[in-house]
Amino acid sequence: EEIVEIEKETHRLAVVNMDWRYVKAVDLYVLFSSLAPPNGLIKSVTIYPTEFGIQRMTEEEVKGPVGYFDGENEITDEEENGDSDADNEKLRAYEKSRMR
């Protein structure tokens, strides 16, 4: 991957790919405060959802988990007998997409 360089430094930090159902601003504030130098100051922590995140949350409120239950009408013998590797992979892909 190419790393994008910025010309002017900022005092902001972006945290991505987190499970935002469980991570709150106060959690990040405590974490960053513990990592700051003794005279360091964390002014504020705010969570801004992306446009993609807002769209996905809206879809999930109406339709439920997007992409996880697609094609569930056909049930094979393997799926009836317990968890299959395909189901686990679908769940992993769904959880990974939620972090975006």
Side-chain angles (χ1 to χ4, degrees):
E1 291 183 37
E2 283 189 31
I3 298 174
V4 179
E5 293 183 25
I6 55 175
E7 296 176 16
K8 184 178 179 183
E9 76 176 44
T10 65
H11 296 281
R12 295 179 181 225
L13 176 67
V15 178
V16 295
N17 290 339
M18 299 291 295
D19 194 345
W20 297 110
R21 292 175 291 182
Y22 304 112
V23 178
K24 304 297 178 210
V26 69
D27 300 325
L28 295 175
Y29 183 84
V30 170
L31 173 69
F32 297 144
S33 293
S34 70
L35 298 173
N39 60 351
L41 175 67
I42 306 295
K43 291 183 179 180
S44 69
V45 175
T46 306
I47 295 177
Y48 297 103
T50 62
E51 292 297 323
F52 175 81
I54 292 170
Q55 177 186 1
R56 181 59 63 97
M57 287 186 286
T58 305
E59 288 176 5
E60 285 189 2
E61 285 179 9
V62 175
K63 300 177 184 177
V66 178
Y68 181 61
F69 293 109
D70 294 342
E72 287 286 317
N73 294 337
E74 299 175 12
I75 300 174
T76 63
D77 291 336
E78 181 181 320
E79 290 173 346
E80 288 178 359
N81 293 332
D83 293 339
S84 68
D85 289 338
D87 287 341
N88 289 335
E89 290 301 317
K90 280 185 184 179
L91 181 59
R92 283 188 196 102
Y94 167 71
E95 288 295 329
K96 187 175 180 182
S97 74
R98 279 192 59 104
M99 290 192 281
R100 291 178 47 200

